[in-house]
Amino acid sequence: MKYNQSNIKKAKKYLDKGDCIGVPTETVYGLAANAYSSLAVKKIFKLKKRPHNNPLIVHYSNIKSLKKDCLINNSFTKLYKKFSPGPITFVLKLRKDSKISKYVINKQKNLAIRFPKHNLFKNLLNKLDYPLAAPSANISNKLSSVMASDVKEEFGTKIKYILDGGKCKIGLESTIIDLTNKPTILRLGGLGVKEIQNTLNKKIYTSIKPKKKIMPGQSLFHYSPGIPLKTNMKKPLIDGAFLLIKERKTILNNYYYLSKNKNLDEIAKNLYSCLRKMKNKGYKSIAIEKIPNKGLGKTINDRLNRASKY
Ligand code: AMP
Ligand code: MG
């Protein structure tokens, strides 16, 4: 692995100056900046071409620093103990005396927060005296980045530094749960709704359909590879690539596979990088085999359905 303490120091130097950098997380790469600095946060929106009414997720390394910005409740404490650090984002009430830049939340009173698990990111957060706003490191509505090279492909020389933490272990964005009222899932993600339900032991609502007030994770056109994508396919379209969920002995040139044996964790981990590779090879379309709609498969299908609306 290419990282060490000097890379973390370098990352900190850029962040302290108010720059945006690429950071690795266990879900997907983030485009990070000081969440207390409006100047730094505005750069994220500009780089991603993200509409200003789409709030950002803020990342913390510990509860003590979170409590400076948010009010916590029982449901949060239960889920935090069980799943954090990890692929779960909580929407909580913002404290009146919080220092979070108003640009992070577009004047809302709630803040989405997460405790990332990637060692390098955790290590970096521990060295900072501010939390990091970090949406996924991709141009709005395009494929998320799961490797440092993807981040480079998205932003080129427009960002000064990418902290390389290898390929993301999960490969899909976090699950978002709103805890400001009745617990409500806002985005399916790397953590199953069943696990959350079992821990809270009460009814969980879902609100993942696109709304009038556009939020990127809920947008119908999100996660697009930039070429037509067809789901539940048995063969490729003309000039297209075919993405299988299980390795086959004999494989044609335009056939790719996501896992050795239909393993959903492996499929999730390889999904975005496979789609990116196919697009870069110049195929005109991507056909993908049916993905079992259970566990992580639900999140994968959610992303593919949105990507196929392109
Ligand atoms: P990403 O750009 O991939 O990090 O996606 C962040 C997701 O979190 C988007 O779907 C946002 O709409 C959602 N989000 C961020 N902040 C909030 C918030 N305060 N309330 C509800 N959703 C939020
Ligand atoms: Mg995103």
Side-chain angles (χ1 to χ4, degrees):
M1 188 47 62
K2 284 174 245 150
Y3 61 81
N4 52 40
Q5 284 300 323
S6 79
N7 288 359
I8 293 180
K9 259 196 199 154
K10 217 171 185 179
K12 178 177 173 351
K13 203 180 84 193
Y14 284 114
L15 291 167
D16 285 348
K17 272 201 306 188
D19 283 328
C20 290
I21 63 163
V23 291
T25 90
E26 75 279 21
T27 58
V28 297
Y29 270 75
L31 183 65
N34 179 353
Y36 290 161
S37 157
S38 291
L39 265 177
V41 168
K42 279 203 240 173
K43 289 182 190 168
I44 296 181
F45 283 94
K46 192 166 174 216
L47 279 164
K48 272 184 69 82
K49 301 188 181 129
R50 181 175 176 116
H52 279 273
N53 62 352
N54 288 321
L56 307 177
I57 297 176
V58 175
H59 297 72
Y60 291 86
S61 61
N62 60 67
I63 291 249
K64 201 175 153 211
S65 34
L66 168 76
K67 281 186 177 166
K68 290 182 191 158
D69 295 319
C70 291
L71 301 171
I72 62 169
N73 55 36
N74 280 343
S75 296
F76 166 80
T77 307
K78 275 189 195 160
L79 292 172
Y80 169 82
K81 279 189 180 150
K82 184 95 194 227
F83 301 116
S84 293
I88 179 167
T89 295
F90 307 96
V91 176
L92 298 172
K93 289 204 168 107
L94 193 70
R95 284 175 62 116
K96 286 214 172 84
D97 57 352
S98 154
K99 287 198 281 182
I100 293 290
S101 156
K102 63 180 186 211
Y103 292 95
V104 168
I105 35 180
N106 187 40
K107 294 170 209 145
Q108 282 192 68
K109 295 197 167 58
N110 300 332
L111 179 69
I113 66 100
R114 187 166 95 82
F115 299 88
K117 197 173 182 175
H118 196 292
N119 262 337
L120 198 53
F121 193 13
K122 273 199 309 196
N123 207 312
L124 171 65
L125 280 168
N126 271 326
K127 294 196 166 43
L128 306 173
D129 49 15
Y130 46 83
L132 288 176
S136 53
N138 54 290
I139 306 293
S140 269
N141 291 340
K142 297 287 183 242
L143 280 177
S144 298
S145 298
V146 291
M147 291 190 277
S149 56
D150 301 342
V151 185
K152 181 101 190 152
E153 200 176 294
E154 291 289 309
F155 300 106
T157 52
K158 287 188 186 145
I159 56 173
K160 298 204 175 112
Y161 191 63
I162 303 167
L163 194 54
D164 189 344
K167 187 166 177 178
C168 300
K169 279 209 171 110
I170 297 177
L172 292 172
E173 298 78 358
S174 60
T175 303
I176 303 181
I177 184 164
D178 184 349
L179 297 175
T180 57
N181 212 311
K182 292 174 183 155
T184 307
I185 302 288
L186 300 182
R187 173 173 79 183
L188 297 178
L191 181 67
V193 178
K194 237 190 208 146
E195 281 94 324
I196 295 178
Q197 171 91 59
N198 291 345
T199 304
L200 283 188
N201 215 359
K202 61 172 150 180
K203 185 167 167 52
I204 308 241
Y205 298 80
T206 39
S207 169
I208 56 173
K209 293 257 161 66
K211 299 203 178 68
K212 270 195 197 138
K213 197 171 164 195
I214 312 154
M215 303 242 183
Q218 298 181 326
S219 153
L220 256 182
F221 304 105
H222 217 53
Y223 314 110
S224 165
I227 52 174
L229 183 137
K230 297 259 181 243
T231 52
N232 300 332
M233 298 292 281
K234 295 210 164 91
K235 57 177 194 234
L237 301 169
I238 296 165
D239 290 337
F242 191 37
L243 196 47
L244 305 154
I245 60 172
K246 182 180 187 296
E247 187 177 1
R248 281 188 199 167
K249 282 231 170 71
T250 48
I251 204 152
L252 300 168
N253 263 344
N254 59 337
Y255 281 41
Y256 297 80
Y257 59 89
L258 287 164
S259 83
K260 275 211 166 330
N261 199 11
K262 297 189 188 177
N263 177 291
L264 286 170
D265 290 333
E266 205 184 334
I267 293 174
K269 184 172 173 174
N270 292 324
L271 182 69
Y272 290 146
S273 45
C274 265
L275 294 177
R276 194 176 277 274
K277 188 155 90 189
M278 291 166 148
K279 190 208 166 187
N280 289 344
K281 286 211 177 235
Y283 291 110
K284 296 280 180 284
S285 65
I286 300 170
I288 178 162
E289 256 189 329
K290 186 173 180 162
I291 311 269
N293 203 37
K294 56 175 192 209
L296 210 50
K298 288 190 180 163
T299 303
I300 299 170
N301 282 323
D302 170 82
R303 302 299 190 264
L304 289 174
N305 288 335
R306 289 170 206 264
S308 69
K309 299 289 186 299
Y310 170 80

